Amino acid sequence: QVQLVESGGGLVQTGGSLRLSCTASGRTLRRDVMAWFRQAPGMKREFVATISMTGTTSYYADSVKGRFTISRDNANNTVYLQMNSLKPEDTAVYYCGGTKAFSSIYYPTSCEYWGHGTQVTVSS
């Protein structure tokens, strides 16, 4: 069983930056594909970014491409999301999830486990 804890969220102004962390316990994530999703009030959970088990391949939603960077440190069982040039529309709860069953993640249903989320609020 895997437990994920997200951290690093907060309140920033438009154009600011945040770095989110997702740290796992229970077992190694070395052979898991990981991803970040976000969910705004009244909206469905939305794909943000995913990263391969080795950290060599990443994919991003068009809405964040060029602004966000996903990375991982398998030695520390941690996945990161560096968020730059933040916009008010980035405001959401950000969730980390993962799977051993797929080579990449694009939909919430692909994730077999989740963290509880961290709030990101971007003011105008």
Side-chain angles (χ1 to χ4, degrees):
Q1 186 177 357
V2 178
Q3 297 83 43
L4 301 179
V5 178
E6 301 98 334
S7 63
L11 173 64
V12 297
Q13 295 184 358
T14 298
S17 298
L18 287 172
R19 190 191 193 198
L20 307 184
S21 298
C22 172
T23 300
S25 61
R27 66 168 176 83
T28 180
L29 298 182
R30 188 171 60 253
R31 295 185 178 183
D32 288 37
V33 177
M34 304 299 296
W36 288 94
F37 287 77
R38 65 188 183 186
Q39 189 165 17
M43 304 293 289
K44 296 181 178 179
R45 192 163 295 190
E46 176 189 34
F47 170 76
V48 175
T50 187
I51 189 167
S52 64
M53 64 181 73
T54 62
T56 58
T57 303
S58 303
Y59 300 93
Y60 299 90
D62 288 342
S63 58
V64 306
K65 192 174 297 182
R67 300 187 298 119
F68 292 10
T69 302
I70 188 171
S71 62
R72 67 192 298 166
D73 182 354
N74 285 340
N76 291 312
N77 232 22
T78 300
V79 181
Y80 303 96
L81 185 68
Q82 178 66 47
M83 305 186 295
N84 299 325
S85 302
L86 284 163
K87 306 173 181 179
E89 49 263 49
D90 295 319
T91 296
V93 177
Y94 283 71
Y95 298 91
C96 180
T99 182
K100 296 178 68 69
F102 301 97
S103 60
S104 60
I105 299 172
Y106 299 106
Y107 304 99
T109 51
S110 296
C111 292
E112 297 175 296
Y113 49 86
W114 297 90
H116 293 298
T118 185
Q119 176 71 49
V120 172
T121 302
V122 185
S123 62
S124 300

